[in-house]
Amino acid sequence: MSEFQPKNNDFENVVRSSFSRQPFMEFVGARLGLVEPGSCEITAEHQIGLTQQHGFFHGGLVSSLADSAAGYAAYSLFPKDSTVLTVDFKVNFLNPSDGERLRAHGEVIRAGRTLYHVSGSVYAERNGVETLCMKGLFTMMCLHGRSDAAKLGKEKEMA
Amino acid sequence: MSEFQPKNNDFENVVRSSFSRQPFMEFVGARLGLVEPGSCEITAEHQIGLTQQHGFFHGGLVSSLADSAAGYAAYSLFPKDSTVLTVDFKVNFLNPSDGERLRAHGEVIRAGRTLYHVSGSVYAERNGVETLCMKGLFTMMCLHGRSDAAKLGKEKEMA
Amino acid sequence: MSEFQPKNNDFENVVRSSFSRQPFMEFVGARLGLVEPGSCEITAEHQIGLTQQHGFFHGGLVSSLADSAAGYAAYSLFPKDSTVLTVDFKVNFLNPSDGERLRAHGEVIRAGRTLYHVSGSVYAERNGVETLCMKGLFTMMCLHGRSDAAKLGKEKEMA
Amino acid sequence: MSEFQPKNNDFENVVRSSFSRQPFMEFVGARLGLVEPGSCEITAEHQIGLTQQHGFFHGGLVSSLADSAAGYAAYSLFPKDSTVLTVDFKVNFLNPSDGERLRAHGEVIRAGRTLYHVSGSVYAERNGVETLCMKGLFTMMCLHGRSDAAKLGKEKEMA
């Protein structure tokens, strides 16, 4: 299904392990869905704490899910002993993020040696119908030879 | 200090009231700082729940604070009986968001009738020293004649 | 093929007429290709004047074609007596724009009343093979009741 | 004046030499202005061929000048034997680019080892008064050990 070949056969475990070490994802109740080479899904259920003044999911939360989904879509293609950092992203809000559930989907467009270009989409599900509410472009960086599990020190001067 | 003239003399109360109705800001422990015409600051203290796998503030959280600060910078210049929505934003991550505290600052660059272009910066404070960790460009929209306090219904077909 | 219904049945003539009034497109040798509701293609042949120091098409030229293609993709869905302006765009360069010919494609993702979100892609053709070299997200604005044919004066305070 | 220290004392000649090898800049009549460590200016005079249907400078041309200015702002800080490529950029159009002359200014915000974050601004001068018409954020990449003067071949798989 995917056009990408993972460099690390254990990519799914590696992604799931990293996700479980992102406290912010747990904090907002996000769950990791399907992980495939170059592709990743993250969902979050509605809770008041995630909304803005009009009752929609907050745009920052919407882009946070997309950022993580895009990062892990890229990370699924990285070699062993590497970690991922977001260089930049751009998001367009197309429709209000109104519903019971958000589903963010990241998909790698171009995998380089160091830089990965990733497309991100977020859908809001309301009464069983999904509406595309955000579309984004993400630039991710592969830090070769850096552990994903440790708090970065000097290596944080990364790019 | 600001080059902008507010259209609503009560702009500060209007901004503070709207901020207090953004549950996501409370959820992440964000606090509204200085509000001036065309300018707004939001801070958040470090807590484990806001971090990613390397111990830094999560990029999504960083951009969430910037999004709200940029939105309220714009909103401070809106006329009465209007509300604000984010059209799009782009953020570049310059340095790891490492520290005890984040400070997001939004500043309007150009105020139109409908569209507001806003610059956003986020600083991480560590041992009393601030480092610029994110820079962004935000496009905000003024929805004239719409209440900021009500859950939007049909009006959500906004733009 | 398209999911969008044009508001102006004469959309193709309207787009072609506007394109012919964009001197910059003629200046760089760009040609308008297929125009469908919510979709537009623009091509340009290689010439030395369009390149940068490595012999590739200049990134600015690549994004210029994409900007026009995205703008006309949106414009094809506008009502009569309106014109289009670019609010902002973001482009990622995925591969060098190396080849004999560029093909830019704009496709509307979301059509609002005032704002149109458009996806843009640019392909470089080399020896008959196309490579995706740029991907972008564009925000376009519909200026209702403004002529596309006249030099804008006061109306330029548009947004 | 600048906070940046050039790694190559000959940075100005290196930048001017590279600019002279960008045929697209000559094609649009662009001229290189002030070059300082981490900063670069490019100007272009009005000519019909650079405009769009309303008589303003075309947005693609505006962002092209900004892209080159941002790229050379970064390049001025690169070590010897390296070249520069644009990873991505985002531009917001604040005011119509109306006037006799454009001035693009690029300024490095953050210099890393590989990635450079650059702010770009474009001003339109009309009757001696400059108006800010575009603001942008650029991500530039330093390709170490690659000549800026040669047509890239295999090295184009750069990132």
Side-chain angles (χ1 to χ4, degrees):
Chain A
M1 189 171 166
S2 165
E3 60 176 311
F4 294 107
Q5 290 300 322
K7 295 192 187 75
N8 183 346
N9 286 330
D10 202 30
F11 73 91
E12 184 167 349
N13 286 333
V14 167
V15 167
R16 293 194 181 282
S17 162
S18 178
F19 183 86
S20 74
R21 281 177 278 105
Q22 278 211 342
F24 187 56
M25 288 294 104
E26 188 184 348
F27 187 70
V28 301
R31 295 170 66 170
L32 189 56
L34 204 60
V35 176
E36 290 183 304
S39 164
C40 175
E41 271 189 351
I42 294 176
T43 57
E45 305 296 316
H46 184 273
Q47 50 173 305
I48 296 292
L50 303 185
T51 62
Q52 36 85 289
Q53 70 271 32
H54 302 301
F56 307 140
F57 285 98
H58 192 283
L61 182 270
V62 174
S63 50
S64 295
L65 298 185
D67 178 36
S68 280
Y72 286 124
Y75 191 45
S76 71
L77 299 178
F78 286 11
K80 271 189 193 179
D81 301 318
S82 62
T83 186
V84 58
L85 281 168
T86 304
V87 174
D88 82 274
F89 67 78
K90 200 262 193 184
V91 287
N92 276 40
F93 295 97
L94 313 177
N95 284 294
S97 303
D98 189 16
E100 301 92 31
R101 189 170 166 267
L102 288 180
R103 181 172 63 89
H105 181 232
E107 193 154 340
V108 174
I109 308 172
R110 169 74 163 89
R113 206 190 87 86
T114 307
L115 296 180
Y116 286 64
H117 299 273
V118 189
S119 172
S121 306
V122 182
Y123 301 84
E125 184 181 324
R126 188 177 167 81
N127 300 329
V129 181
E130 280 195 335
T131 302
L132 179 64
C133 55
M134 193 219 84
K135 194 88 186 161
L137 273 174
F138 298 75
T139 313
M140 297 289 164
M141 189 169 203
C142 175
L143 300 182
H144 295 274
R146 307 275 168 79
S147 166
D148 186 71
K151 180 155 166 43
L152 292 182
K154 192 151 187 298
E155 307 86 330
K156 76 187 180 187
E157 302 295 336
M158 68 268 196
Chain B
M1 187 174 166
S2 165
E3 59 175 315
F4 294 107
Q5 290 300 321
K7 295 191 187 75
N8 183 346
N9 286 330
D10 202 29
F11 74 90
E12 185 167 349
N13 286 333
V14 167
V15 167
R16 295 197 180 278
S17 162
S18 179
F19 183 85
S20 73
R21 281 177 278 106
Q22 278 211 344
F24 187 55
M25 288 294 103
E26 188 183 348
F27 186 71
V28 300
R31 295 169 68 169
L32 189 57
L34 204 60
V35 177
E36 289 183 305
S39 166
C40 175
E41 272 189 351
I42 294 176
T43 57
E45 304 297 316
H46 183 273
Q47 51 173 306
I48 296 292
L50 304 185
T51 62
Q52 37 86 290
Q53 70 271 31
H54 302 299
F56 306 141
F57 285 98
H58 192 282
L61 183 268
V62 173
S63 51
S64 295
L65 298 185
D67 178 36
S68 280
Y72 286 124
Y75 191 45
S76 72
L77 299 177
F78 286 10
K80 272 190 193 179
D81 301 319
S82 63
T83 185
V84 58
L85 282 167
T86 303
V87 174
D88 81 274
F89 66 78
K90 201 264 193 182
V91 288
N92 276 38
F93 295 97
L94 313 177
N95 283 296
S97 304
D98 189 15
E100 301 91 31
R101 189 170 166 269
L102 289 180
R103 181 172 63 90
H105 181 232
E107 192 153 342
V108 174
I109 309 172
R110 168 74 164 89
R113 207 190 85 85
T114 306
L115 295 181
Y116 287 65
H117 299 273
V118 189
S119 172
S121 307
V122 182
Y123 301 84
E125 184 182 323
R126 189 177 164 80
N127 301 328
V129 180
E130 280 195 334
T131 302
L132 180 63
C133 56
M134 193 219 84
K135 195 87 186 162
L137 272 174
F138 298 75
T139 313
M140 295 290 165
M141 189 171 203
C142 176
L143 299 182
H144 295 273
R146 308 272 169 81
S147 167
D148 187 71
K151 181 156 166 40
L152 290 183
K154 194 154 184 296
E155 308 86 330
K156 76 186 181 187
E157 300 296 336
M158 69 266 196
Chain C
M1 188 171 162
S2 164
E3 59 176 310
F4 294 107
Q5 290 299 321
K7 294 192 188 76
N8 183 346
N9 287 330
D10 202 30
F11 74 90
E12 185 168 348
N13 286 333
V14 167
V15 167
R16 294 195 181 279
S17 162
S18 179
F19 183 85
S20 72
R21 280 177 277 106
Q22 279 211 343
F24 187 56
M25 288 294 104
E26 189 184 346
F27 187 71
V28 300
R31 295 168 68 169
L32 188 57
L34 204 60
V35 177
E36 290 183 303
S39 166
C40 175
E41 271 189 351
I42 293 175
T43 58
E45 305 296 317
H46 183 273
Q47 50 174 306
I48 296 293
L50 304 185
T51 62
Q52 37 85 289
Q53 71 271 34
H54 301 301
F56 307 141
F57 286 98
H58 192 282
L61 183 269
V62 173
S63 51
S64 295
L65 298 185
D67 178 35
S68 280
Y72 286 124
Y75 191 44
S76 71
L77 299 178
F78 286 10
K80 272 188 192 180
D81 301 318
S82 62
T83 186
V84 58
L85 282 168
T86 303
V87 174
D88 81 273
F89 66 78
K90 200 262 193 183
V91 288
N92 276 40
F93 295 97
L94 313 177
N95 284 295
S97 303
D98 189 16
E100 301 92 30
R101 189 171 165 268
L102 289 180
R103 182 172 63 89
H105 182 233
E107 193 154 342
V108 175
I109 308 171
R110 168 74 163 89
R113 208 190 85 85
T114 306
L115 295 180
Y116 287 65
H117 299 274
V118 188
S119 172
S121 307
V122 182
Y123 301 84
E125 185 181 323
R126 189 177 165 80
N127 300 330
V129 181
E130 281 195 334
T131 301
L132 180 64
C133 55
M134 193 220 83
K135 195 88 186 161
L137 271 175
F138 298 74
T139 313
M140 296 290 164
M141 188 171 205
C142 176
L143 299 183
H144 295 273
R146 306 273 169 81
S147 167
D148 187 71
K151 180 154 166 43
L152 291 183
K154 192 152 187 296
E155 308 86 329
K156 76 187 181 187
E157 301 296 335
M158 70 269 197
Chain D
M1 187 174 166
S2 165
E3 61 177 312
F4 295 106
Q5 290 301 321
K7 295 192 188 74
N8 183 345
N9 286 330
D10 202 29
F11 73 91
E12 184 169 348
N13 286 333
V14 167
V15 167
R16 294 195 181 279
S17 162
S18 179
F19 183 86
S20 74
R21 281 178 278 105
Q22 278 211 343
F24 187 55
M25 287 294 104
E26 188 184 348
F27 186 71
V28 301
R31 295 170 67 169
L32 189 56
L34 205 59
V35 177
E36 290 183 304
S39 166
C40 175
E41 270 189 351
I42 294 176
T43 57
E45 305 297 315
H46 183 274
Q47 51 172 305
I48 296 292
L50 304 185
T51 61
Q52 36 86 290
Q53 70 271 32
H54 302 300
F56 307 141
F57 285 99
H58 191 283
L61 182 269
V62 174
S63 51
S64 294
L65 299 184
D67 178 36
S68 280
Y72 286 123
Y75 191 46
S76 71
L77 299 178
F78 286 11
K80 270 189 194 179
D81 301 319
S82 63
T83 185
V84 58
L85 281 168
T86 304
V87 174
D88 82 273
F89 66 77
K90 201 265 194 184
V91 288
N92 276 38
F93 295 97
L94 313 177
N95 284 295
S97 303
D98 189 14
E100 300 92 31
R101 189 169 166 269
L102 289 180
R103 181 171 64 89
H105 181 232
E107 193 154 341
V108 174
I109 310 172
R110 168 75 164 89
R113 207 190 87 85
T114 306
L115 295 181
Y116 286 65
H117 299 273
V118 189
S119 172
S121 307
V122 182
Y123 301 83
E125 184 181 324
R126 188 177 166 80
N127 301 329
V129 181
E130 280 196 335
T131 302
L132 180 63
C133 55
M134 194 218 84
K135 195 87 187 161
L137 272 174
F138 299 75
T139 313
M140 296 290 164
M141 188 170 203
C142 176
L143 300 182
H144 295 275
R146 307 273 169 83
S147 166
D148 187 71
K151 180 154 166 45
L152 292 183
K154 193 153 185 299
E155 308 85 328
K156 76 187 182 187
E157 302 294 337
M158 68 268 196

